[in-house]
């Protein structure tokens, strides 16, 4: 580490626990510090340039400082960065998501994927009048108490009474949970390709069975697509041919700005309507912020069906190249997960070779990447993770 990084780190540890705000970006002894990004590349405070395959954990679908997105944000900001009133931008974003998802009819907005999952769970409980959420152990749904391990520090024991964790991919365990708690489960929360669990896409037959089980037991099916929405024009669930009762989005729909969204059936989300008796009160000072909504609308318009297909094809080709060179690389389309015995060492070696990955080996592609970028990423990954090196 250079003196520039060390000076920043010494300042950071004085004012932030461990010198860091986000657990997900920490690598020992401490991560480098970014200075600026442009397109597919990031430059750190030492001037070291890396191809960004982290993209702020999948959120920067068009890379850094995209001119068209920045222009939209500037125009919106010039009219006012936030209001105590709704704006046209959130209406347009909701209309866009209805059309894009194939008809998920109602939407509400917030500021992060974690907050979207919180809102989704509140909606499920408010609509059903039930408390229990069933979810798969090992899937990441943010930092809300109800979706982290019930054994995690700081999580109240009472949370265990309202959450049932089942082993990843164990559909029989889901069925047992629903049968053992009749009339008490509000929702089953799933991620169709969970990053923390290895970025392995769900089997179609398993998804079909989960859909059937939720219908049979009158349980809401909630899908977390904060990361996976980028994989199909209407979200990864469309690949499996079903429409969720509730869905949480984030990341790519914000154009690089903080964002979260919950979509769902009109009857389910009506619990939030101020036009009903006893609505769920849910504010959010910066929810549906016009700058975010304006940037996100441009980002989504640019991420057309053709752009989705092209980026997925490029990701599949890169994954195939890695697999052909003996590297365990999971995922689908524009999301790739390198499976290594020592993710931290792999991260640093990739960084030194000019590639910024996620700290768990996640590679997230952007439309800003050229063929030369992807070739360089493949070269670096093969050199770092190839046979006999990892």
């Amino acid at each position: 580490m250079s003196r520039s990084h060390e000076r920043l780190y010494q300042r950071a540890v004085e004012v932030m626990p461990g010198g860091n705000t986000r657990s997900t970006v920490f690598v020992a002894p401490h991560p480098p510090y970014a200075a600026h990004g442009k397109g597919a590349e990031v430059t750190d405070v030492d001037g070291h340039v890396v191809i960004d395959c982290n993209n702020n954990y999948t959120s920067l679908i068009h890379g850094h400082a995209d001119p068209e997105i920045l222009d939209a944000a500037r125009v919106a900001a010039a009219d006012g960065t936030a209001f105590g009133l709704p704006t046209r931008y959130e209406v347009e974003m909701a209309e866009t998501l209805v059309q894009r998802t194939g008809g998920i009819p109602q939407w509400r907005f917030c500021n992060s994927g974690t907050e979207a999952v919180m809102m989704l769970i509140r909606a499920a409980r408010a609509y059903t009048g039930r408390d229990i959420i069933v979810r798969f152990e090992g899937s990441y749904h943010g930092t809300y108490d109800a979706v982290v391990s019930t054994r995690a520090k700081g999580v109240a024991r009472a949370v265990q009474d309202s959450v049932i964790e089942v082993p990843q991919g164990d559909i029989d365990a889901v069925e047992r949970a629903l049968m053992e708690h009749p009339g008490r489960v509000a929702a089953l929360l799933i991620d169709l390709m969970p990053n923390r669990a290895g970025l392995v896409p769900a089997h179609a037959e398993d998804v079909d069975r989960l859909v059937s089980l939720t219908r049979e037991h009158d349980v809401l099916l909630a899908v977390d697509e904060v990361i996976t929405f980028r994989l199909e024009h209407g979200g990864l669930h469309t690949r499996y041919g079903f429409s969720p009762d509730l869905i949480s989005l984030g990341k790519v729909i914000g154009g690089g700005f903080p964002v979260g969204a919950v979509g769902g059936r009109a009857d389910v989300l009506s619990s939030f309507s101020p036009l009903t008796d006893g609505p769920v009160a849910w504010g959010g000072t910066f929810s549906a912020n016009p700058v975010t909504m304006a940037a996100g609308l441009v980002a989504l318009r640019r991420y057309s069906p053709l752009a989705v297909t092209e980026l997925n094809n490029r990701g599949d080709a890169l994954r195939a190249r890695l697999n052909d060179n003996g590297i365990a690389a999971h995922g689908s389309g524009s999301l790739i997960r390198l499976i290594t015995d020592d993710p931290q060492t792999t991260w640093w070696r990739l960084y030194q070779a000019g590639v910024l990955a996620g700290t768990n080996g996640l590679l997230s592609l952007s439309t800003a990447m050229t063929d030369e970028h992807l070739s360089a990423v493949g070269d670096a990954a093969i050199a770092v993770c190839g046979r006999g090196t990892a």
Side-chain angles (χ1 to χ4, degrees), residues 101-112:
T101 58
I104 295 178
Q106 295 275 282
W107 293 87
R108 283 177 71 92
F109 300 103
C110 50
N111 296 295
S112 70

Side-chain angles (χ1 to χ4, degrees), residues 16-17 22 30 83 98 117 121 149 156 159 199 210 231 241 258 281 290 296 302 311 325 350 363 381:
M16 293 183 285
R22 300 166 64 189
H30 62 80
F83 302 96
V98 171
V117 171
I121 290 175
S149 171
V159 172
L199 209 67
L210 290 174
L231 295 178
R302 290 262 302 280
L311 192 60
N325 281 271
L350 284 171
L363 303 178

Side-chain angles (χ1 to χ4, degrees), residues 135-340:
R135 68 177 189 85
F136 287 107
E137 187 175 14
S139 291
Y140 180 76
H141 300 288
T143 54
Y144 180 41
D145 283 4
V147 293
V148 300
S149 171
T150 55
R151 300 178 298 279
K153 290 183 178 180
V155 176
R157 291 183 180 179
V159 172
Q160 299 179 24
D161 297 331
S162 61
V163 177
I164 298 175
E165 294 177 298
V166 299
Q168 187 66 230
D170 191 339
I171 313 304
D172 289 340
V174 173
E175 184 171 17
R176 287 194 299 271
L178 298 182
M179 292 180 65
E180 291 169 4
H181 299 83
R184 296 183 59 203
V185 177
L188 169 65
L189 177 61
I190 63 173
D191 183 334
L192 295 166
M193 195 176 76
N195 177 32
R196 294 286 179 91
L199 209 67
V200 177
H203 296 295
E205 57 270 23
D206 288 342
V207 175
D208 289 343
R209 189 174 168 199
L210 290 174
V211 172
S212 295
L213 284 171
T214 54
R215 301 300 179 258
E216 178 184 345
H217 292 272
D218 193 27
V219 168
L220 297 178
L221 181 55
V223 180
D224 183 352
E225 290 234 37
V226 170
I227 287 179
T228 60
F229 188 68
R230 61 161 45 221
L231 295 178
E232 296 287 347
H233 185 252
L236 185 56
H237 69 275
T238 64
R239 186 182 297 179
Y240 292 89
F242 76 97
S243 184
D245 299 309
L246 287 165
I247 186 171
S248 56
L249 303 183
K251 298 193 184 291
V252 299
I253 71 166
F257 291 85
V259 73
V262 173
R265 287 167 27 192
D267 57 335
V268 176
L269 286 186
S270 67
S271 299
F272 290 100
S273 173
L275 303 178
T276 62
D277 293 332
V280 174
W282 195 287
T285 302
F286 291 99
S287 294
N289 177 275
V291 178
T292 293
M293 297 287 101
L297 284 165
V298 172
L300 287 177
R301 178 175 56 77
R302 290 262 302 280
Y303 200 46
S304 64
L306 178 60
V308 173
T309 298
E310 289 179 346
L311 192 60
N312 280 344
N313 288 343
R314 300 175 87 196
D316 289 338
L318 175 58
R319 186 182 306 98
R321 182 188 175 197
L322 297 177
N323 290 157
D324 290 344
N325 281 271
I327 299 170
H330 298 169
S332 177
S334 63
L335 296 177
I336 300 169
R337 172 78 181 274
L338 302 176
I339 307 299
T340 66

